[in-house]
Every structure is written in structure tokens, then in C-alpha cells.
Amino acid sequence: MSPTVDELRNEIRVETGRYERVESTAFTKEALAAICEAVGYEIGPGSLPPKPDMRAGILFSIGELDENDPEEASGAFRKAQLEAIAEALREE
């Protein structure tokens, strides 16, 4: 049986040194920043960029997007994207 979206999010959180969440929630900016770091996407110093920028950077870094385009990552990650991120983190 394939993992649920919540299980995938929690796996990704744990792999990036964050904590599991009991309730179903999307990633916070801080969690996205941790994922960026884990997949090698540089977000630079200072304040955190907008969520779509970080989501696009993550997907671009793992080969799920051909371009680092925030327009392509304006909403929460889809299940297939979460599976790809979890797989990329397992390979690290």
C-alpha cells in the first residue's frame, strides 16, 4: 500500500531534521527551507523567499521541473511530487 500524503510529508520532515506533525498540514516556510538545504537548492541569506519560489527550487533541484519557475509550483506539492522528494532524500 502506498503511503498517504500525510505520511510522505512526515517522512520528508524527519529526513530534513524537522518534527512529525499529528495533524495534516502543508509545509511551513521553515520546513521548505530545510528541504531546500537537503536537496542542495541555495536560498541565500536573509529572509526566506516566498513558498512558490522554494517549492519550484526544490522540484527543479530533484529534476521534477525543467525550469525553476515559481508559476509551476504555486500550490502545495502533489502526491507524486512528495514521492519524488522523499525518494531524493532517501538517496542522500
Side-chain angles (χ1 to χ4, degrees), residues 3-4 8 10 13 21-22 25 38-39 43 48 58 64 76 80 91:
T4 66
L8 288 165
N10 276 330
R13 285 182 178 107
R21 298 188 107 173
V22 177
T25 61
V39 299
I43 56 174
L48 295 175
I58 291 164
E64 289 294 304
E91 292 173 0

Side-chain angles (χ1 to χ4, degrees), residues 5-78:
V5 168
D6 293 335
E7 291 168 336
L8 288 165
R9 284 187 188 129
N10 276 330
E11 178 183 343
I12 292 166
R13 285 182 178 107
V14 169
E15 288 289 329
T16 58
R18 308 292 294 174
Y19 56 90
E20 290 187 52
R21 298 188 107 173
V22 177
E23 69 279 353
S24 175
T25 61
F27 292 114
T28 62
K29 277 187 155 187
E30 291 77 13
L32 286 172
I35 298 168
C36 286
E37 183 178 326
V39 299
Y41 178 69
E42 295 284 329
I43 56 174
S47 63
L48 295 175
K51 284 183 173 185
D53 293 4
M54 289 190 283
R55 283 193 294 264
I58 291 164
L59 295 174
F60 178 70
S61 292
I62 64 169
E64 289 294 304
L65 286 180
D66 293 331
E67 296 178 27
N68 186 358
D69 181 6
E71 292 289 321
E72 295 292 320
S74 60
F77 291 123
R78 301 219 180 268

